[in-house]
Amino acid sequence: MTELRAVGISKRFAGVRALDDVTLDFPGGAVTALMGENGAGKSTLIKIINGDHLPDRGRVVLDGAPLALHAPADARRAGIRVIPQEPEIVPHVSVAENVYIGALPRKAGRALDRVGLRARVRADLRRLGFERVLDPDTLGSHLTPAQRQLVEILRALTTDAKVIAFDEPTSSLSENEVEALFALIRRLREEGLAVIYVSHRMQEIFRLADRIAVLRDGGLVGVRDVDRTDEAEIVRMMVGRDLSDMFAREHGATDEVVLEVDAVTTDDVRDVSLSVRAGEVVALAGLVGAGRSELAGAIVGDLPIRSGQVRVGGRPVRLRQPRDAVRAGMGYAPEERKAQALLLERSVRDNTSLVVLDRLRRFRFVRRAEERRLTREYVDRLNVRTPDIEHEVRKLSGGNQQKVVLARWLARRPKVLILDEPTRGIDVGAKAEIYHLIDDLARAGVAILVISSELPEVLGLADRIVVMQNGRVTGELDRADATEEAILELAMAEDLSTTAQEEDQ
Amino acid sequence: MTRTTTAREPVDAEPKDGAPRRILTAIGPQNISLVAALIVVVAIFTFLNSGYLTWSNVQVIGEAATVAGLLAVVQTVVIICGAMDISVGSQAGVASVISAMAFMSTGHNPLLGIAAAIGVGVVAGLVNGLVIVYGRVNPVIATLATLAAYKGIAQLISGGRAQGFVLGDDLFIFIARGRIAGLPVQVCILLVVALAIHLMLKYTDIGRNIYAIGGNDTAARLAGININKYLIAVYALAGIIAALAGIILTARTGSGQPTSGSEGLELQSITAAALGGAALKGGKGGVAGTLLAVLLLGALNNGLNVVGVNTFWQNVAQGALLVIAVIIQQRRTGERAVGLPT
């Protein structure tokens, strides 16, 4: 029977450890669930198995033979298929062509063999029991999210897959669709395939999986058989780190409420209310896809607010575009610093002065000496390691790039600072520096909202923790009662009614 | 030659440590290779024809390159935003016709003629900007459409013929044949416009924001820059400068020209901007490099004329230069050869 083994896999990205010596089996005829917090290394492991990333050390072994995985095509040839969260579907061609894309049956002279294609797709649909769910003539653009995944699964199964991995497959599926998917996965298991299932949803995993492998900080914590464990043990395995010495927070929030979010509803979040006081650090916790970044985008005027209000210093802010938020005294360091914040091919100086040019100019001419002085001041204060302030930002390390983003907003002296994953992908030293900086800013009276998926960071930094799931606030915890377990419980609370009593008033 | 040095100095005049190395990096490898190419071109044609490198021929080169130079300078601004304006040539054509017709119908008032042309340029540019920003039309497609439409408008109002006669007027004569400090007035106009745009790009917050928009539009938006306003204003600026080019065209030929003289200028302006180091994906480029490239193209065209090469070959040479410039640019950024380039 099939067996996929990952042996001693290590992988670093720009010096940051993503996976460290992970050895894990995925036996055929079983569903192995991969669990772990955001950033624990689940996606990296899947990408290595899929040939997207080359491991620094270690190898992937299928049925005793080591594989050379340099590209996804290699993985496919070996019989490994990963079903991504958002399958790639060609919109303007039929399901049948989508399934066989790249290997369409053809007749002499490269003409498409339509009859053969149709016969093959029908046979496949019948074999897998999807003849009623999926019409082979439907166009790709007309498919529901579940059907798109089915197409991707069909693609996998028409190429003699031995291993099939699902990356959060149910996030966009309705309940009925989830049932159909589970039925399919069980059939795949009976056919002897090795199934890898990545999900945050505890209930699903206990219904579906045979084994649960837990990753934490890039290492394998352990593997448990589903019948011999329970949710509490898995949560304990997922958390339980100690980084407390990195945090030196003096908790000194004042009574002055600076940022108020009042019953804000957008396309992604519903009825969210929260407030941040001067000198307070509030963390927004939750799993990826809970709507935290979307909420931040709405607060800073980048995503439209359908109803509700944002107030700064008691005054409502009319948010038509980010400019309005900047003018109201908000600063925002977004999640993807390279894509959303930095001008990579411009200098540290250009990047730092971007939001204070209106204060630096005289008759629209930028006062360059003042600009250089200001840049130097913040480069020193944040300890940005750069040869000089004319250095291009793309040549700096991730941690220093993040500091440049922070320098930009600090130079503006905002009343409210919203930081989305401020320490993602940066090394431990820079992380500690950023934590100290956040503490300094809070002590200087800035109201800070931090979005973070790292629970120790949330616990170490925050005075209060607001937890979101599925676009709603599921609870609010004070620093005193917050534990990783309590946060995870709120973040994974699938049934909102059980946690309703903890919702903020 | 004189004009490039005057226009280039402000870029390099940053207070650096003074080492020659620093100055070299400040000029940039792109500009150095342009200067090298210019020296090679001048050397070859001087060798082939001793009349090439004379003051009178240099002035001819300058005058011939003025109209294309104006459009190239403003095209540079548009490209730095990450956009493109293919319709600049057609806009110049419309402005040329309008300037001559307004001049005639206002009883030979040159200022009204010029004002009307500039006004039409603003409107044409605004239409481009509004269609792109609020119609969500890709800049290349939008200005490809207005390239055709504006050309049609110029032909319609002029009946496809040259309009009016302006060379009885002192102001137009001055633009066409005047000299300021020994330099042709047309070249002076180009230098003034280039210097103004250079100062705007490098020394004002407007210019910084334009680079930011082209470099990373999400970052620019989140930093509170009103991107829509900037894009529309940049297209309006392109319209104004194109109108100015159209007026010079009128003065030079003596009458309003719907198409002759302005056709093909879009290609020249994009070529010069790309050759001058403007990255077509935006965020990079400058007036100095573009002016050098304009001079290089002018010197090349003139040289091919002087040594009697078939004019059709000049188009081939220009096309080849554009492709070579972009290939060099992409090589430098280390773009992988997979699928369509970005």
Side-chain angles (χ1 to χ4, degrees):
Chain A
M1 189 168 280
T2 304
E3 188 192 44
L4 182 75
R5 284 173 59 90
V7 185
I9 303 266
S10 294
K11 177 76 186 171
R12 302 174 81 88
F13 292 105
V16 179
R17 186 180 76 178
L19 282 177
D20 186 31
D21 195 23
V22 169
T23 298
L24 186 54
D25 298 352
F26 300 99
V31 176
T32 306
L34 265 184
M35 291 202 78
E37 287 177 31
N38 302 331
K42 306 181 298 274
S43 315
T44 310
L45 185 58
I46 294 290
K47 282 184 175 155
I48 285 173
I49 289 170
N50 192 35
D52 276 327
H53 291 323
L54 214 55
D56 298 335
R57 273 206 312 277
R59 58 190 193 279
V60 179
V61 182
L62 184 62
D63 298 337
L67 300 175
L69 301 174
H70 296 286
D74 297 331
R76 279 182 196 196
R77 223 170 293 126
I80 299 171
R81 293 295 292 235
V82 173
I83 313 297
Q85 261 179 37
E86 303 287 342
E88 300 291 340
I89 303 290
V90 185
H92 303 299
V93 307
S94 69
V95 164
E97 285 178 58
N98 259 300
V99 169
Y100 283 98
I101 192 162
L104 290 168
R106 59 192 191 213
K107 297 184 287 195
R110 298 216 66 147
L112 174 64
D113 179 6
R114 288 185 187 279
V115 180
L117 175 67
R118 180 174 292 256
R120 269 161 78 173
V121 168
R122 289 214 183 278
D124 283 328
L125 286 173
R126 207 170 313 121
R127 178 165 63 90
L128 296 162
F130 284 120
E131 48 212 316
R132 261 180 242 122
V133 207
L134 210 54
D135 174 1
D137 294 326
T138 315
L139 289 185
S141 53
H142 292 167
L143 296 174
T144 65
Q147 288 175 323
R148 294 165 73 90
Q149 287 209 331
L150 286 179
V151 169
E152 185 68 43
I153 293 167
L154 277 173
R155 281 180 186 161
L157 298 182
T158 51
T159 50
D160 290 326
K162 295 176 182 161
V163 179
I164 186 159
F166 295 87
D167 190 359
E168 298 259 8
T170 56
S171 54
S172 54
L173 300 193
S174 73
E175 215 162 297
N176 291 337
E177 291 168 335
V178 170
E179 289 310 317
L181 177 69
F182 282 9
L184 172 69
I185 290 176
R186 291 197 184 99
R187 196 153 59 229
L188 296 177
R189 174 175 63 189
E190 276 150 34
E191 284 178 18
L193 271 76
V195 180
I196 306 173
Y197 191 87
V198 178
S199 177
H200 282 301
R201 300 193 178 179
M202 199 66 92
Q203 293 185 1
E204 280 178 17
I205 284 185
F206 274 86
R207 279 179 52 209
L208 183 69
D210 303 297
R211 307 154 71 239
I212 301 176
V214 179
L215 291 172
R216 183 172 77 215
D217 288 341
L220 180 69
V221 183
V223 184
R224 297 284 181 274
D225 282 337
V226 165
D227 344 332
R228 272 180 245 133
T229 184
D230 55 21
E231 295 191 13
E233 187 191 16
I234 299 296
V235 169
R236 266 201 306 282
M237 288 166 74
M238 283 166 66
V239 299
R241 239 175 323 176
D242 197 22
L243 282 172
S244 52
D245 49 325
M246 284 176 68
F247 302 96
R249 279 281 290 128
E250 288 192 11
H251 303 272
T254 61
D255 291 333
E256 183 201 346
V257 176
V258 180
L259 175 70
E260 285 170 280
V261 176
D262 189 4
V264 162
T265 295
T266 72
D267 294 342
D268 303 291
V269 305
R270 269 175 302 152
D271 196 26
V272 171
S273 296
L274 58 89
S275 66
V276 188
R277 285 171 289 181
E280 189 181 34
V281 178
V282 172
L284 207 47
L287 300 169
V288 168
R292 296 168 301 160
S293 299
E294 290 80 359
L295 175 64
I299 295 174
V300 300
D302 199 36
L303 295 172
I305 292 178
R306 301 293 173 211
S307 69
Q309 200 177 48
V310 174
R311 287 188 290 272
V312 173
R315 226 171 301 143
V317 186
R318 205 170 149 223
L319 294 165
R320 291 153 303 184
Q321 49 172 326
R323 182 180 191 74
D324 300 319
V326 174
R327 291 227 166 129
M330 291 193 243
Y332 171 51
E335 189 178 5
E336 303 281 343
R337 59 179 168 263
K338 284 190 187 175
Q340 300 177 305
L342 290 168
L343 313 173
L344 288 169
E345 293 177 0
R346 310 290 297 174
S347 65
V348 172
R349 175 181 51 75
D350 276 330
N351 275 280
T352 306
S353 64
L354 186 65
V355 293
V356 287
L357 287 175
D358 53 345
R359 293 180 188 167
L360 284 173
R361 72 190 182 196
R362 194 189 316 148
F363 310 121
R364 299 224 80 122
F365 280 81
V366 178
R367 286 180 285 151
R368 289 156 67 85
E370 178 63 13
E371 183 190 20
R372 277 192 292 272
R373 192 198 60 71
L374 189 80
T375 306
R376 283 209 189 89
E377 178 189 330
Y378 282 95
V379 161
D380 288 347
R381 178 161 163 211
L382 275 78
N383 199 13
V384 181
R385 275 174 280 275
T386 174
D388 69 284
I389 60 170
E390 301 298 331
H391 203 65
E392 272 181 42
V393 161
R394 72 186 161 91
K395 294 178 185 158
L396 301 180
S397 73
N400 284 306
Q401 287 180 344
Q402 183 68 19
K403 288 185 204 165
V404 170
V405 176
L406 294 175
R408 170 189 298 173
W409 289 107
L410 296 197
R412 175 111 199 156
R413 301 180 177 278
K415 292 185 224 140
V416 179
L417 200 52
I418 299 173
L419 308 174
D420 195 348
E421 303 286 358
T423 63
R424 172 172 293 170
I426 70 181
D427 60 82
V428 179
K431 267 187 189 180
E433 284 180 295
I434 286 176
Y435 296 149
H436 280 289
L437 182 77
I438 291 175
D439 179 45
D440 281 349
L441 290 169
R443 257 187 288 178
V446 181
I448 301 172
L449 184 64
V450 179
I451 297 174
S452 174
S453 299
E454 288 192 40
L455 291 177
E457 183 171 296
V458 167
L459 290 170
L461 277 176
D463 298 309
R464 258 184 318 129
I465 297 155
V466 176
V467 188
M468 286 182 72
Q469 192 206 10
N470 284 336
R472 304 190 65 137
V473 172
T474 51
E476 189 172 319
L477 299 162
D478 205 62
R479 193 172 63 88
D481 343 306
T483 58
E484 299 201 8
E485 285 82 355
I487 296 173
L488 268 185
E489 220 164 84
L490 287 171
M492 299 202 285
E494 253 155 322
D495 188 2
L496 281 173
S497 62
T498 60
T499 54
Q501 63 264 32
E502 288 178 77
E503 230 164 89
D504 57 319
Q505 48 284 10
Chain B
M1 294 299 283
T2 349
R3 67 178 195 207
T4 50
T5 31
T6 43
R8 213 162 36 127
E9 256 155 22
V11 209
D12 315 330
E14 294 198 25
K16 293 273 177 178
D17 298 355
R21 245 246 169 82
R22 286 250 155 166
I23 295 169
L24 277 185
T25 47
I27 297 172
Q30 185 95 24
N31 289 355
I32 290 172
S33 39
L34 281 174
V35 171
L38 190 59
I39 290 171
V40 170
V41 165
V42 169
I44 290 174
F45 288 117
T46 311
F47 174 74
L48 292 174
N49 186 326
S50 57
Y52 181 73
L53 194 62
T54 55
W55 177 234
S56 63
N57 193 46
V58 168
Q59 290 186 56
V60 169
I61 294 176
E63 284 186 31
T66 299
V67 170
L70 281 172
L71 298 181
V73 166
V74 81
Q75 188 74 257
T76 306
V77 182
V78 179
I79 288 177
I80 289 171
C81 285
M84 180 94 71
D85 189 347
I86 308 183
S87 70
V88 282
S90 295
Q91 294 182 54
V94 175
S96 172
V97 171
I98 291 286
S99 67
M101 291 178 79
F103 171 77
M104 298 306 281
S105 62
T106 56
H108 296 219
N109 185 331
L111 291 178
L112 281 181
I114 288 171
I118 301 274
V120 165
V122 172
V123 172
L126 281 178
V127 167
N128 278 339
L130 292 170
V131 165
I132 289 164
V133 170
Y134 293 108
R136 310 308 302 151
V137 183
N138 175 295
V140 174
I141 301 297
T143 54
L144 189 63
T146 51
L147 162 80
Y150 294 156
K151 183 164 52 171
I153 290 172
Q155 287 166 328
L156 276 174
I157 54 179
S158 66
R161 294 177 301 274
Q163 288 292 319
F165 180 73
V166 299
L167 286 183
D169 180 82
D170 288 343
L171 183 58
F172 278 109
I173 292 174
F174 179 67
I175 295 174
R177 304 190 197 124
R179 289 269 188 284
I180 297 173
L183 273 179
V185 170
Q186 296 173 29
V187 175
C188 291
I189 292 175
L190 172 63
L191 288 182
V192 168
V193 167
L195 185 67
I197 290 184
H198 175 75
L199 290 177
M200 179 191 80
L201 283 178
K202 293 283 168 179
Y203 296 98
T204 69
D205 64 322
I206 301 171
R208 301 293 189 81
N209 289 344
I210 287 174
Y211 278 103
I213 290 169
N216 185 340
D217 60 343
T218 307
R221 192 180 70 229
L222 291 175
I225 298 170
N226 191 337
I227 300 187
N228 291 354
K229 196 175 90 182
Y230 269 87
L231 288 175
I232 292 168
V234 163
Y235 273 99
L237 178 71
I240 293 171
I241 304 297
L244 200 56
I247 292 162
I248 291 176
L249 219 52
T250 303
R252 191 185 286 168
T253 57
S255 53
Q257 301 289 343
T259 51
S260 89
S262 58
E263 244 173 353
L265 286 178
E266 54 283 335
L267 172 65
Q268 285 185 41
S269 68
I270 294 167
T271 307
L275 208 55
L280 295 179
K281 67 183 193 318
K284 247 183 172 174
V287 170
T290 300
L291 275 187
L292 273 178
V294 167
L295 192 64
L296 176 63
L297 289 173
L300 191 65
N301 276 345
N302 177 277
L304 293 173
N305 270 336
V306 166
V307 298
V309 174
N310 183 336
T311 40
F312 299 145
W313 276 109
Q314 295 174 19
N315 288 335
V316 177
Q318 195 171 319
L321 266 178
L322 177 57
V323 170
I324 290 167
V326 175
I327 289 176
I328 291 172
Q329 233 178 52
Q330 298 285 49
R331 290 271 141 188
R332 206 173 275 153
T333 53
E335 177 117 351
R336 279 176 67 204
V338 180
L340 285 175
T342 50

